[in-house]
Amino acid sequence: MSVPSPEPVSLGDAAYRQLRADIVSCRIIPGRRLTERSLAESTGFGISPIRDALTRLSHEGLVRTLPRKGYQVTPLTLKSVDDLFTLWRIVGPETVRLGVQDATAEQRRQIITAFSTAKPGSDEADEQAMRRVEAATAAFASLAAATDNDYLISVHDRLQNDITRVLALIMTEADTSMPDPSINGELIKLLERRDGDAAAARARDYIGDLHARVLRILTRWPSVVASEITSMRH
């Protein structure tokens, strides 16, 4: 019996996935100028797939067009980060509440697996910590999908792009570790009980605490004085 081959991915899709992953993980840092030609040379994709990818990333708010100059990875500022977490504290808890209540058995298994993967280990390297962030992002994305609300899913995805960027940027700095609270294990238990209200309340507290912690860290960075937040390693 033959195993069906996976669906082919177009060059535009492949270029989009690679560039999006590089931007969200801050391998391409906020504020960096980009051109189609330089990206084609560095990635090996042609100009057309790169142009398609940049168009999609622009629609998602991860890059912006600079007339006659190319593109720029959308910068992060202290105000934009503050606004981001303020909106997440409004949208996030309701996403969690509805997702916990409405998730199917299969979705619950996926969410629990992702949250379990996202639990911290001891003395983690940056790459391992980033994988935890990606696992947590996948868990919250599955909760959003479980709501079956297209508008809520769209808003959640846009927020998570930038939340992941902020956390990835912070984790590149040796002196700004982000110890995780016990929210993953707590949400697993609340998900198993389908207690959406309690899960939403826990998510609201978590987002509020993370919001305050992120702002405390970023206000110590020299780059904040220049309005745009960049890695201290660049």
Side-chain angles (χ1 to χ4, degrees):
M1 177 178 178
S2 61
V3 178
S5 58
E7 293 185 10
V9 176
S10 71
L11 289 175
D13 283 341
Y16 161 76
R17 292 179 186 181
Q18 180 172 328
L19 290 179
R20 184 184 179 280
D22 287 344
I23 291 171
V24 170
S25 65
C26 288
R27 289 189 291 269
I28 301 178
I29 63 171
R32 180 174 169 181
R33 300 288 181 89
L34 306 171
T35 66
E36 293 173 358
R37 184 173 299 279
S38 66
L39 287 172
E41 291 174 353
S42 65
T43 63
F45 290 104
I47 293 293
S48 182
I50 290 294
R51 183 177 297 133
D52 290 346
L54 288 169
T55 298
R56 291 175 65 179
L57 292 167
S58 178
H59 289 160
E60 293 182 8
L62 287 172
V63 302
R64 61 188 186 185
T65 303
L66 302 176
R68 296 181 298 279
K69 294 181 179 179
Y71 300 84
Q72 181 186 34
V73 178
T74 304
L76 293 171
T77 66
L78 199 60
K79 181 181 185 302
S80 71
V81 172
D82 189 20
D83 291 348
L84 170 68
F85 277 87
T86 297
L87 181 56
W88 190 27
R89 198 175 185 188
I90 296 170
V91 175
E94 185 63 10
T95 302
V96 170
R97 185 181 73 81
L98 292 175
V100 166
Q101 290 177 352
D102 299 339
T104 64
E106 177 58 29
Q107 286 172 326
R108 285 200 303 275
R109 283 193 291 271
Q110 293 173 354
I111 296 165
I112 289 171
T113 297
F115 273 132
S116 298
T117 304
K119 290 180 180 179
S122 59
D123 300 324
E124 290 184 307
D126 288 347
E127 185 176 345
Q128 292 173 311
M130 191 60 214
R131 282 199 292 267
R132 284 198 297 105
V133 171
E134 292 168 352
T137 299
F140 281 106
S142 294
L143 281 167
T147 70
D148 199 27
N149 183 311
D150 290 340
Y151 289 102
L152 190 57
I153 292 168
S154 177
V155 171
H156 174 272
D157 288 348
R158 178 70 177 266
L159 288 174
Q160 283 298 317
N161 282 339
D162 280 339
I163 290 164
T164 303
R165 282 208 299 159
V166 171
L167 297 181
L169 193 63
I170 285 174
M171 289 190 301
T172 64
E173 311 305 332
D175 62 343
T176 53
S177 60
M178 295 284 291
D180 286 62
S182 58
I183 184 171
N184 296 342
E186 293 176 28
L187 286 181
I188 288 173
K189 293 177 182 178
L190 293 171
L191 179 63
E192 290 171 338
R193 299 207 305 262
R194 303 184 78 88
D195 191 340
D197 290 337
R202 182 65 186 93
R204 187 175 296 106
D205 289 343
Y206 165 72
I207 295 168
D209 290 344
L210 187 59
H211 184 181
R213 192 184 317 156
V214 165
L215 291 184
R216 282 198 303 271
I217 290 171
L218 292 180
T219 52
R220 299 199 300 265
W221 287 20
S223 63
V224 173
V225 177
S227 77
E228 290 185 7
I229 299 168
T230 60
S231 171
M232 291 189 287
R233 296 181 184 180
H234 293 80

